[in-house]
C-alpha cells in the first residue's frame, strides 16, 4: 500500500492538485495559514489521472467493503469523483451536503437512499474532518450503515484521526501528507529545511508561522 501512496502522491504533485509553498504560504477558507494547498478538482481535467484515481478508489471500495450498496460523494468537491466511482462499480450514487440547503426541500442527501442500505463515502480530501463527519452522521440518521470513508488525500492530522475513531468512522486515504513530502523532496520541489517547516505546520496548524 505504501507504493500506491507514493504513486498517487507523485501524480497529485505532477498535475499541481497539491502545491507546496513553505516560503509563501496560502490562506485557507478557514483562515489558517498553510504551506500546502490541495485542490483535487484539477484531477478532473486530466483524463489519465482521473481514470487512475477512479480505479484506485473503486478498488479500495471493492476490497474493503464488498457489501457496499451505495456510493456517496461529499458535496461539493467529491461529487464528480464519487459519481465516477459509482459508475465504475455499477452502483447507485448519492451526494450529501454537510449542512441542509437553505431552499427547496432543504435536503442534505441528494438522490434516493433507502433505510438499511450499506454506504461508502467518497471524499476528495480530509483535513479537520468536520464535513466528512457531518455527512456520515446524515447518512446514519437516514437509517443506513456507513461502511467506511475513502479519500484521495489525507493531511494526517492526529486530532482528525482521533475524532474519526471516536465516531466509529473507518477512513482509508489513497495518499497521505508524509508521502507528499517524501515525493516532493525526491524531485527537488522542496528542500530538507522545507520538510521540517511543513512537518512543524502539520503538528500545530492553528498556531503555525513561517
Amino acid at each position: 500500500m505504501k507504493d500506491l501512496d507514493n504513486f498517487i502522491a507523485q501524480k497529485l504533485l505532477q498535475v499541481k492538485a497539491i502545491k507546496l509553498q513553505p516560503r509563501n504560504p496560502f490562506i485557507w477558507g478557514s483562515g489558517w495559514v498553510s504551506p500546502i494547498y490541495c485542490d483535487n478538482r484539477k484531477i478532473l481535467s486530466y483524463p489519465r489521472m482521473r481514470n487512475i484515481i477512479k480505479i484506485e478508489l473503486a478498488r479500495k471500495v471493492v476490497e474493503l467493503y464488498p457489501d457496499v450498496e451505495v456510493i456517496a460523494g461529499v458535496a461539493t468537491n467529491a461529487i464528480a469523483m464519487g459519481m465516477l466511482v459509482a459508475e465504475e462499480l455499477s452502483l447507485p450514487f448519492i451526494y450529501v451536503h454537510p449542512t441542509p440547503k437553505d431552499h427547496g426541500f432543504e435536503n442534505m442527501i441528494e438522490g434516493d437512499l433507502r433505510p438499511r442500505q450499506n454506504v461508502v463515502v467518497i471524499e476528495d480530501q480530509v483535513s479537520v474532518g468536520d464535513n466528512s463527519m457531518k455527512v456520515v452522521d446524515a447518512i446514519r440518521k437516514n437509517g443506513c450503515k456507513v461502511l467506511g470513508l475513502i479519500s484521495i488525500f489525507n493531511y494526517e492530522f492526529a486530532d482528525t484521526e482521533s475524532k474519526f475513531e471516536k465516531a466509529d468512522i473507518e477512513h482509508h486515504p489513497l495518499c497521505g501528507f508524509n508521502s507528499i513530502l517524501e515525493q516532493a523532496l525526491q524531485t527537488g520541489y522542496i528542500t530538507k529545511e522545507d520538510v521540517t517547516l511543513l512537518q512543524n505546520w502539520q503538528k500545530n496548524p492553528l498556531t503555525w508561522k513561517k
Side-chain angles (χ1 to χ4, degrees):
M1 299 305 292
K2 183 63 176 175
D3 288 342
L4 174 63
D5 199 321
N6 288 334
F7 175 72
I8 297 297
Q10 182 185 76
K11 294 301 180 182
L12 292 176
L13 289 167
Q14 283 178 354
V15 302
K16 296 182 173 58
I18 291 182
K19 292 185 178 181
L20 304 173
Q21 293 183 186
R23 308 299 169 180
N24 183 28
F26 304 95
I27 304 295
W28 284 8
S30 62
W32 285 13
V33 178
S34 170
I36 179 173
Y37 190 80
C38 177
D39 181 6
N40 282 331
R41 290 166 295 191
K42 283 186 174 290
I43 295 168
L44 301 173
S45 298
Y46 297 87
R48 292 182 65 183
M49 178 63 175
R50 184 178 68 214
N51 196 49
I52 288 169
I53 296 296
K54 175 192 72 174
I55 289 171
E56 294 304 333
L57 287 171
R59 192 194 313 276
K60 272 195 180 289
V61 172
V62 170
E63 290 177 353
L64 295 169
Y65 306 112
D67 295 331
V68 61
E69 296 173 292
V70 178
I71 298 295
V74 177
T76 58
N77 290 356
I79 292 175
M81 194 55 69
M83 188 169 63
L84 288 170
V85 172
E87 183 69 15
E88 178 73 12
L89 299 176
S90 297
L91 287 171
F93 176 72
I94 62 169
Y95 65 89
V96 187
H97 304 279
T99 56
K101 294 191 300 185
D102 59 2
H103 60 280
F105 292 114
E106 300 182 349
N107 294 337
M108 289 184 72
I109 298 174
E110 305 286 4
D112 290 329
L113 183 64
R114 299 189 301 274
R116 295 183 295 279
Q117 287 188 303
N118 293 330
V119 182
V120 171
V121 177
I122 302 296
E123 178 65 287
D124 77 316
Q125 60 174 299
V126 170
S127 54
V128 296
D130 289 348
N131 284 349
S132 302
M133 292 184 69
K134 289 175 183 176
V135 165
V136 169
D137 187 52
I139 295 170
R140 287 173 172 170
K141 286 181 178 177
N142 200 74
C144 294
K145 181 177 182 180
V146 176
L147 301 177
L149 168 72
I150 300 178
S151 65
I152 299 173
F153 175 65
N154 179 23
Y155 282 92
E156 297 179 330
F157 294 139
D159 287 350
T160 301
E161 297 308 311
S162 178
K163 284 193 293 187
F164 282 172
E165 287 179 14
K166 290 178 181 177
D168 194 24
I169 299 172
E170 290 188 10
H171 176 211
H172 300 277
L174 293 185
C175 169
F177 179 83
N178 289 305
S179 289
I180 290 290
L181 298 195
E182 182 179 329
Q183 293 302 310
L185 182 61
Q186 286 183 12
T187 60
Y189 183 0
I190 57 175
T191 65
K192 289 183 179 180
E193 290 76 15
D194 292 333
V195 169
T196 299
L197 189 150
L198 282 149
Q199 289 173 334
N200 288 339
W201 169 82
Q202 190 214 25
K203 290 174 184 175
N204 201 345
L206 279 172
T207 60
W208 179 83
K209 294 180 181 179
K210 66 174 182 174

